[in-house]
Amino acid sequence: MNLASLNLVDINKVFPNGFHAVKDVNLEIEDKEFIVLVGPSGCGKSTVLRMIAGLEEISSGELYIDGEMVNDVAPKDRDIAMVFQNYALYPHMSIFENMAFGLKLRKMSKTEIKEKVDVAAKILGLEELLDRKPKELSGGQRQRVALGRAIVRDPKVFLMDEPLSNLDAKLRVQTRAELSKLHLRLETTFIYVTHDQTEAMTMGTRIVVLKDGVVHQVADPETLYNSPVNQFVAGFIGSPQMNFIEARLTEKNGAVIVEFEGGTVGLNEDKVIQLKDNKYTEKEITLGIRPEHIEIDPTDETGENVATVEVTELLGSETYLFLDVGGKNAIARVDPALNIRVHDKVKFNFIPEKVHLFDRETEEALLVGAAKE
């Protein structure tokens, strides 16, 4: 059984042109974890992966695999297998030969090679395709071959760089589930890079959110979703993304109220106590609320907290309402049975325990962990 924990200590990457792509990344990855690095294009996630693989030199910092520093260890000696988004299969070889290629280079016996390829082919449902050439396969099948080539090596760590980005939407969903099952079956460490937060949320045991080469938060999917540490993480995780509205905290008769153009929201007791303890009660802030945490009442259009529906999008099991709230846009996710039309005026309520508050200047969350109920 392969064991593989990784430790990244103050890892930096500065390219020859002076571009500082990865900044002081510290990360402990436990054996058998499925870690996902996620962030917008150019955030440094693939560079981190390539440094772990040994394909990119580390400018400063230390990389440990199972307690051993591997900064200067050649890629082939790190016991790591990498799966890229472009599959990189040899077109003139059969699927069997593609999967066996790395093992042949290691001078393994034909019997052992056949055994390992057959086991990997069975895991991935490729048994019927071993005699074919890559051009005869679909994109999803080729991706499985690329995975099979990594599996036969029985590595300590699997590194995957956007492996599903060339697949169509339906196949991506299917292959996501296959990869999660594969991780459980192989009981080894997966480090996976994607720009797709849905992929990250559905597959990762923990997620590392990066922006501009900096790690913003490392947490399990539930914590990231419910307790983002800042506005960037809050907006990046979740689809449709969290609504952000400029607001002000005001204290009235011991209660703390969030006021914004077009309405107000009271806060539950836990939040009020935290805000008072931190002396945040009179402050310009940004209010964050997820689309599913906006309650809509189409039968009441009086008083405050009334919005106008500008666009509706029916997605079968749910409807997205694009609202005008005091001149600002917000999206609500509601039950299609409400049957709301464009131009309707609707009463809205932000569920108090689901409200997020961010400092207007630093964009840091004012109430870390408070939205977790």
Side-chain angles (χ1 to χ4, degrees), residues 39-77:
S41 296
C43 71
K45 54 193 184 295
S46 290
T47 307
V48 171
L49 203 70
R50 291 173 64 82
M51 287 193 282
I52 293 171
L55 302 174
E56 197 73 71
E57 205 177 315
I58 295 170
S59 303
S60 67
E62 293 163 1
L63 171 64
Y64 295 89
I65 298 179
D66 288 336
E68 183 194 341
M69 187 160 134
V70 296
N71 286 42
D72 301 320
V73 172
K76 66 182 175 58
D77 298 324

Side-chain angles (χ1 to χ4, degrees), residues 139 167 176 188 204 298:
L167 305 180
R176 262 197 338 240
T188 187

Side-chain angles (χ1 to χ4, degrees), residues 66-347:
D66 288 336
E68 183 194 341
M69 187 160 134
V70 296
N71 286 42
D72 301 320
V73 172
K76 66 182 175 58
D77 298 324
R78 292 191 183 190
D79 203 2
I80 274 172
M82 190 144 177
V83 181
F84 299 94
Q85 67 188 69
N86 62 0
Y87 323 139
L89 303 178
Y90 298 109
H92 61 289
M93 292 184 186
S94 70
I95 298 314
F96 182 93
E97 289 165 336
N98 263 287
M99 286 169 69
F101 187 71
L103 305 181
K104 275 186 185 163
L105 291 181
R106 292 184 183 185
K107 307 274 193 292
M108 267 189 194
S109 72
K110 281 188 173 174
T111 319
E112 204 177 346
I113 288 174
K114 184 172 182 341
E115 206 174 280
K116 282 184 173 291
V117 172
D118 285 348
V119 167
K122 190 161 189 247
I123 288 172
L124 296 165
L126 295 169
E127 302 108 309
E128 310 293 312
L129 307 174
L130 291 175
D131 296 333
R132 295 197 195 173
K133 294 273 173 38
K135 67 172 187 289
E136 299 170 57
L137 269 53
S138 68
Q141 289 167 330
R142 283 184 214 168
Q143 185 59 73
R144 294 215 293 276
V145 175
L147 279 168
R149 200 172 44 191
I151 290 168
V152 294
R153 289 179 46 197
D154 195 20
K156 282 184 177 179
V157 185
F158 281 89
L159 303 181
M160 301 191 181
D161 193 2
E162 304 257 8
L164 309 185
S165 59
N166 289 344
L167 305 180
D168 64 47
K170 185 180 172 193
L171 206 48
R172 266 210 305 272
V173 172
Q174 198 180 319
T175 314
R176 262 197 338 240
E178 282 176 12
L179 278 176
S180 295
K181 281 188 214 159
L182 187 63
H183 172 248
L184 293 171
R185 186 181 291 188
L186 296 178
E187 293 193 322
T188 187
T189 308
F190 277 38
I191 306 174
Y192 187 102
V193 158
T194 181
H195 64 277
D196 182 333
Q197 57 91 19
T198 307
E199 252 174 58
M201 293 290 282
T202 50
M203 294 165 78
T205 46
R206 279 194 307 153
I207 300 170
V208 181
V209 185
L210 287 131
K211 182 192 179 196
D212 300 332
V214 175
V215 172
H216 280 248
Q217 190 168 1
V218 183
D220 62 89
E222 188 188 2
T223 302
L224 272 190
Y225 194 77
N226 292 317
S227 305
V229 295
N230 59 33
Q231 209 170 310
F232 168 70
V233 175
F236 191 79
I237 299 294
S239 178
Q241 78 158 45
M242 186 183 284
N243 297 294
F244 296 115
I245 297 169
E246 289 186 355
R248 180 173 175 76
L249 289 174
T250 314
E251 193 172 352
K252 287 183 181 169
N253 308 323
V256 179
I257 292 169
V258 185
E259 296 181 322
F260 50 92
E261 203 66 50
T264 61
V265 58
L267 296 174
N268 61 338
E269 203 177 332
D270 287 358
K271 286 185 169 63
V272 172
I273 291 165
Q274 264 201 68
L275 289 167
K276 285 183 175 176
D277 286 352
N278 294 317
K279 311 212 168 11
Y280 280 140
T281 50
E282 295 287 330
K283 194 174 178 64
E284 299 290 328
I285 56 147
T286 301
L287 159 72
I289 188 79
R290 295 205 180 276
E292 63 271 30
H293 298 148
I294 301 178
E295 295 173 325
I296 297 290
D297 182 356
T299 60
D300 180 3
E301 49 182 86
T302 56
E304 55 180 20
N305 288 29
V306 172
T308 305
V309 179
E310 296 190 311
V311 177
T312 66
E313 279 185 4
L314 173 63
L315 296 174
S317 60
E318 57 194 14
T319 294
Y320 294 160
L321 304 180
F322 291 76
L323 306 172
D324 177 330
V325 176
K328 295 283 190 295
N329 297 324
I331 301 177
R333 177 187 276 165
V334 299
D335 186 331
L338 285 177
N339 204 18
I340 294 166
R341 308 255 179 245
V342 173
H343 305 312
D344 281 0
K345 295 248 189 289
V346 293
K347 188 100 165 175

